[in-house]
Amino acid sequence: MKKAIIFGITGQDGSHLADLLLEKEYQVIGVTRRVSVDTTSRIKHLVNHENVTIVSGDITDAHSVINILKDHQDAAEVYNLAAQSHVAVSFKQPALTWDITGKGCLNILQGLTDLQMTNTKFYQASSSEMFGSNYDTRSQDNDFDSRLPVEKYQNEETKFLPQSPYAISKCAAHYMTRLYREGYGLHASAGILFNHEGPRRGENFVTRKITKWIGDFIKWCITNDVSPKGLHDLLTNDNEIYITEGLKFPKLRLGNLDAYRDWGFAGDYCEAMWMMLQQDEPDDYVICTGETHTVREFLSIAFNSVGIKEWEDFVVVDPEFYRPAEVDYLRGDCSKAKEKLGWTPKHTFEDLVKMMVMRDLS
Ligand code: NAP
Ligand code: G4F
């Protein structure tokens, strides 16, 4: 039975990856950090699984990382999914983000090297945020006519131009992964994953913030006998939606609605992580859908799926959610992963939005 260690098992991706590895009959060692509240809600269904062992450790503590690796030197695969992964938070807590998201990766790579675990394959969760404000271009449909609109995209060749402490920490970890691959012969691969979401997404990322709000709002309407037709007759003021003075619901407050993201389903992306570690040679791969949509488009599909066409009345654009620097446009090209790994995303953008809304309604 193959053994895999997952740093970050309690996160969105960690939970999907653990499901996948258990299906493939791995023994899973999941690392969780000590916190005063229970963080295992996403892995509740598997903590008692006979092939799962939860161990305590913090990726910022090199000592605890090396002890975990030492106890599991027979691990075939190590996945580093642990991070302070919220971009906006990284502007407020840059040093913490650096320690976890940047230096944490180094602690694992150095541990694998010190313990000479050269048979263990390592996965680093790199991010499309590393591209920041950069993209490459090619003309659409017709290579010869430069008057045609250009297509903007990012792939493994696109230069990084990071726009946040989070992205800069991810770049450091990414380069460190390459260094340990080339300098110390580790089988270390990095997946440059574009945004991926799903019902297990943290509630302060924009997609889940939207679908969670819609779920709560529709439940409030049902409780207060508002019929589907009545949704359009609700009254609003600057900050609230109301039935009567006493029955109010706060509007959804968001920041930049014009950012473009290439959004896919997290479950599909975890499969790509695993596929990377099944290769004989380590390498870096972009994982994405190749489509890009604005936050506004996400809102439209999400609200439409519960019968609300004029959603603008229910949303407030609040500068509090603007970032000191923004990433305006992300759209990946995963031709390499398609060709070398045989990976393709299985869910469309519309499937994803509807799946998230439906789950938050139930
Ligand atoms: P997530 O839900 O925020 O999960 C992060 C995980 O890291 C959680 O399990 C968290 O534990 C753990 N963690 C945080 N600090 C830690 C520490 N000091 N020591 C040990 N564990 C720690 O993130 P995700 O969406 O699953 O993403 C997984 C990875 O992929 C992250 O590295 C993220 O940066 C990267 N990534 C994500 C996306 C995306 O769109 N989701 C795209 C590209 C790259 P707690 O539960 O205790 O907080
Ligand atoms: O959902 P977001 O916070 O995701 P972001 O910043 O793209 O980062 C996510 O994807 C990265 C991969 O590209 C990961 F590496 C990273 O760990 C994380 O998973 O924001 C998406 C967009 C941004 O442009 C943001 O400014 O939505 C915009 N936005 C508008 N209003 C908002 C909000 N974002 C959040 N979180 N909250 C808002 O109210």
Side-chain angles (χ1 to χ4, degrees):
M1 182 181 270
K2 267 180 156 183
K3 186 190 271 190
I5 305 176
I6 305 178
F7 287 90
I9 193 170
T10 53
Q12 171 190 245
D13 291 5
S15 67
H16 281 292
L17 181 67
D19 288 341
L20 179 81
L21 295 180
L22 290 171
E23 256 172 53
K24 295 186 183 297
E25 303 195 336
Y26 276 62
Q27 185 187 354
V28 172
I29 312 298
V31 184
T32 62
R33 55 184 172 157
R34 201 217 81 82
V35 272
S36 61
V37 287
D38 185 12
T39 55
T40 58
S41 63
R42 294 185 181 105
I43 54 165
K44 275 228 151 40
H45 59 290
L46 50 78
V47 278
N48 293 322
H49 192 292
E50 57 179 343
N51 292 338
V52 175
T53 307
I54 300 294
V55 297
S56 175
D58 192 301
I59 198 175
T60 60
D61 177 3
H63 185 74
S64 85
V65 170
I66 201 142
N67 278 336
I68 292 165
L69 296 177
K70 207 183 270 171
D71 287 346
H72 301 284
Q73 288 191 57
D74 54 340
E77 294 159 19
V78 173
Y79 294 85
N80 177 27
L81 310 182
Q84 189 302 95
S85 74
H86 201 279
V87 175
V89 170
S90 80
F91 287 100
K92 301 216 162 94
Q93 300 178 13
L96 177 80
T97 303
W98 172 255
D99 284 347
I100 302 174
T101 309
K103 198 166 147 260
C105 171
L106 173 61
N107 288 338
I108 302 179
L109 289 166
Q110 189 58 46
L112 290 169
T113 309
D114 287 349
L115 294 166
Q116 299 181 343
M117 289 171 67
T118 42
N119 291 327
T120 304
K121 295 178 176 176
F122 174 73
Y123 174 84
Q124 166 59 14
S126 289
S127 165
S128 53
E129 276 290 307
M130 302 188 307
F131 297 119
S133 50
N134 199 26
Y135 50 80
D136 287 317
T137 56
R138 59 189 161 211
S139 56
Q140 203 144 254
D141 297 325
N142 182 341
D143 286 344
F144 305 106
D145 188 345
S146 56
R147 291 165 306 170
L148 283 176
V150 291
E151 183 179 53
K152 302 193 274 182
Y153 68 94
Q154 290 103 357
N155 70 10
E156 294 82 1
E157 307 306 319
T158 307
K159 298 246 173 327
F160 299 144
L161 204 54
Q163 295 295 313
S164 64
Y166 167 80
I168 291 169
S169 306
K170 280 287 181 193
C171 284
H174 183 80
Y175 288 131
M176 209 56 95
T177 303
R178 196 191 62 192
L179 177 72
Y180 277 67
R181 173 167 78 219
E182 292 174 0
Y184 299 100
L186 286 188
H187 190 294
S189 297
I192 306 174
L193 271 52
F194 282 63
N195 298 52
H196 45 279
E197 323 288 315
R200 298 185 194 177
R201 186 57 144 153
E203 291 173 14
N204 54 3
F205 294 94
V206 76
T207 55
R208 185 74 202 291
K209 184 170 167 184
I210 294 168
T211 62
K212 172 89 174 39
W213 185 93
I214 291 176
D216 291 346
F217 174 62
I218 296 295
K219 284 174 216 158
W220 176 79
C221 289
I222 293 169
T223 308
N224 291 297
D225 295 326
V226 178
S227 67
K229 270 192 172 170
L231 284 171
H232 289 100
D233 301 326
L234 288 167
L235 302 169
T236 59
N237 61 28
D238 284 352
N239 296 310
E240 292 147 328
I241 302 160
Y242 62 96
I243 301 170
T244 62
E245 262 311 303
L247 278 178
K248 292 180 179 168
F249 195 85
K251 287 187 178 179
L252 171 59
R253 306 187 83 82
L254 296 172
N256 179 13
L257 305 188
D258 297 313
Y260 283 84
R261 289 290 181 276
D262 178 334
W263 277 296
F265 172 57
D268 293 348
Y269 287 41
C270 289
E271 204 167 359
M273 297 174 188
W274 175 79
M275 285 171 144
M276 284 176 218
L277 296 204
Q278 308 318 303
Q279 304 306 302
D280 290 337
E281 297 303 322
D283 207 344
D284 301 334
Y285 296 89
V286 159
I287 300 296
C288 59
T289 68
E291 276 186 35
T292 190
H293 298 274
T294 58
V295 175
R296 217 176 272 285
E297 287 171 311
F298 190 103
L299 280 160
S300 243
I301 298 179
F303 274 104
N304 271 302
S305 71
V306 292
I308 299 172
K309 300 259 175 290
E310 275 146 37
W311 55 266
E312 283 88 349
D313 291 345
F314 296 163
V315 175
V316 178
V317 173
D318 184 341
E320 192 194 319
F321 295 103
Y322 282 21
R323 297 168 182 184
E326 177 63 285
V327 170
D328 294 320
Y329 185 90
L330 290 176
R331 175 184 174 220
D333 167 6
C334 63
S335 307
K336 179 175 169 183
K338 281 184 179 162
E339 190 190 317
K340 297 207 164 165
L341 305 177
W343 179 86
T344 46
K346 297 190 182 107
H347 293 76
T348 65
F349 175 65
E350 211 164 313
D351 287 347
L352 172 73
V353 182
K354 289 182 179 164
M355 176 207 307
M356 292 179 72
V357 173
M358 289 314 138
R359 197 63 74 83
D360 275 323
L361 281 173
S362 65

